[in-house]
Amino acid sequence: MKRILVTGGAGFIGSHLCERLLKEGNEVISLDNYFTGRKTNIVHLMDNNYFEVIRHDVTQPFFIEVDEIYNLACPASPVHYQYNPIKTVKTSVMGAINMLGLAKRIKAKILQASTSEVYGDPKVHPQREDYWGHVNPIGPRSCYDEGKRVAETLFMSYHQQNDVRIKIIRIFNTYGPRMHPNDGRVVSNFIVQALKNDDITIYGDGSQTRSFQYVDDLVEGMIKMMATGDEFLGPVNIGNPGEFTIKELADMVIDLTGSRSKIVYKPLPQDDPLQRCPDISLAKEKLNWEPKIKLETGLKKTIEYFDNLLKNS
Ligand code: NAD
Ligand code: UDP
């Protein structure tokens, strides 16, 4: 049995990760300040004696004895990370410093949840790990993108300078049950709008693309990455290479929900990336991992979750 710390453990991805790590027989500690996470995401795990919950902000130092750390604490949706950009940078940068300092002291392995946003609005398609990206350092998304880029720098520096055992994954758009219904991301927005028969809001003309990964596939990739030997640090892309336009996603959600919603078009936010799709050759080679869940299958599960949530609210 390993003792594992998950920062951001009450968030969408963190809660699925905690659940899976507990299922595998580990002792799990969730650390979260509940900025975007919710206790309802983890309440079903509370009966497990090997699960512990701590309210803490990663911008403050924290001490604990664990074998592994998954560092997920950071708001992920543009609406939330732009709400307080300074805090977003602090969470990424000071959070990384605090967790790396802890990993150094206790000799734990530490995995960073980085993002496809480090590629910005990419000029290379699909994105490989050796592409350095095209990021606006002063735009509305920069607090998140640059914060995550500095976090990667810190991870590499702690490894090079202090031999900290690090792992970096770059997560592409992930969806599934327990996304926050109001977090503004496209999958949750479209599903909630469709279930309420409200207008579906496409930003821009809907021709921009994203690659959507179901959360279970991501969690499998995270665990496989953590299990790799010390020589493989990443960064490695973890995403689903199936690429869809936002208009295709809207049509699919309307179809799967049988909704009467109409599509309306709103202005495209500044610096919204036009294309995004991971090259996952490295993950296939090093982790023997690839996503298994098709968009339609994952959307059905997510629709069922939001349907229950809306009926019970
Ligand atoms: P989320 O907002 O649901 O989860 C983030 C969690 O971190 C929340 O529980 C929040 O309360 C917590 N948190 C935020 N600031 C904190 C702080 N200062 N101290 C302690 N806890 C704090 O988002 P998510 O989709 O689950 O994302 C989890 C991680 O994965 C994030 O680091 C995000 O950048 C990364 N990621 C997610 C996606 C995606 O598509 N969902 C894509 C790329 C990267
Ligand atoms: N988007 C949209 N309607 C919405 C929410 C998002 O058309 O109600 C678009 C958004 O402009 C972007 C894409 O969907 O082009 C994905 O947005 P999301 O916020 O989910 O993630 P990110 O832009 O960070 O990939």
Side-chain angles (χ1 to χ4, degrees):
M1 180 187 268
K2 279 181 287 194
R3 190 187 289 171
I4 304 174
L5 176 67
V6 178
T7 77
F12 155 53
I13 296 171
S15 64
H16 286 275
L17 180 64
C18 289
E19 188 175 322
R20 169 76 189 267
L21 292 170
L22 284 166
K23 238 180 231 162
E24 291 188 353
N26 299 293
E27 191 174 340
V28 177
I29 299 116
S30 158
L31 179 157
D32 206 296
N33 71 348
Y34 303 101
F35 173 47
T36 51
R38 291 168 297 166
K39 285 193 184 150
T40 49
N41 285 343
I42 46 173
V43 72
H44 64 293
L45 306 175
M46 300 287 193
D47 287 343
N48 190 323
N49 291 336
Y50 295 105
F51 186 55
E52 227 173 296
V53 172
I54 295 167
R55 179 187 288 268
H56 184 80
D57 191 311
V58 282
T59 61
Q60 303 297 325
F62 181 72
F63 301 103
I64 194 169
E65 291 283 335
V66 289
D67 305 298
E68 294 177 351
I69 304 169
Y70 287 85
N71 188 37
L72 276 67
C74 185
S77 106
V79 174
H80 286 144
Y81 70 64
Q82 288 170 24
Y83 170 75
N84 185 344
I86 297 171
K87 179 69 194 229
T88 301
V89 176
K90 282 187 182 172
T91 295
S92 267
V93 176
M94 293 164 68
I97 291 172
N98 287 329
M99 289 305 124
L100 284 161
L102 175 65
K104 175 184 162 188
R105 178 175 157 162
I106 61 175
K107 300 197 178 349
K109 232 189 218 187
I110 179 165
L111 179 144
Q112 168 67 355
S114 190
T115 168
S116 54
E117 290 284 322
V118 301
Y119 302 121
D121 189 4
K123 299 294 164 211
V124 168
H125 197 73
Q127 291 81 56
R128 282 166 45 102
E129 292 82 354
D130 54 10
Y131 176 52
W132 291 355
H134 179 240
V135 175
N136 178 355
I138 53 168
R141 300 174 83 99
S142 58
C143 58
Y144 183 73
D145 301 8
E146 298 290 16
K148 288 284 188 178
R149 285 168 68 98
V150 173
E152 287 198 11
T153 309
L154 285 163
F155 267 67
M156 277 300 167
S157 301
Y158 269 78
H159 171 70
Q160 283 154 1
Q161 229 173 300
N162 298 125
D163 288 328
V164 175
R165 298 152 72 204
I166 62 145
K167 306 279 169 193
I168 301 172
I169 59 166
R170 292 183 178 154
I171 303 171
F172 282 65
N173 293 63
T174 302
Y175 70 96
R178 302 194 207 126
M179 291 182 90
H180 198 293
N182 301 325
D183 85 354
R185 280 183 275 191
V186 69
V187 174
S188 44
N189 265 14
F190 284 3
I191 291 178
V192 170
Q193 289 164 342
L195 289 172
K196 292 179 164 173
N197 292 308
D198 289 346
D199 288 344
I200 303 250
T201 53
I202 289 186
Y203 304 156
D205 63 6
S207 64
Q208 71 271 37
T209 68
R210 293 292 186 275
S211 304
F212 299 103
Q213 148 173 261
Y214 189 67
V215 64
D216 291 357
D217 280 332
L218 167 63
V219 167
E220 177 72 19
M222 294 177 103
I223 287 172
K224 284 196 157 175
M225 180 59 173
M226 188 62 110
T228 54
D230 283 348
E231 70 294 342
F232 184 59
L233 314 175
V236 60
N237 291 336
I238 304 286
N240 191 319
E243 189 181 357
F244 295 84
T245 67
I246 295 304
K247 172 70 167 63
E248 283 170 335
L249 177 72
D251 290 338
M252 212 185 258
V253 169
I254 291 174
D255 194 38
L256 292 174
T257 51
S259 172
R260 297 191 303 278
S261 294
K262 291 191 186 56
I263 291 177
V264 296
Y265 291 88
K266 303 239 167 163
L268 189 68
Q270 190 195 327
D271 296 341
D272 199 285
L274 287 179
Q275 270 189 316
R276 193 183 285 150
C277 178
D279 179 322
I280 58 163
S281 337
L282 188 65
K284 280 185 184 162
E285 180 200 327
K286 297 285 187 184
L287 313 181
N288 190 23
W289 172 91
E290 61 183 315
K292 297 206 165 58
I293 298 160
K294 289 205 173 76
L295 182 57
E296 187 174 325
T297 313
L299 282 179
K300 282 184 185 158
K301 292 178 195 232
T302 314
I303 289 166
E304 193 184 321
Y305 167 78
F306 279 113
D307 199 22
N308 284 329
L309 193 76
L310 294 177
K311 277 182 188 144
N312 295 323
S313 64

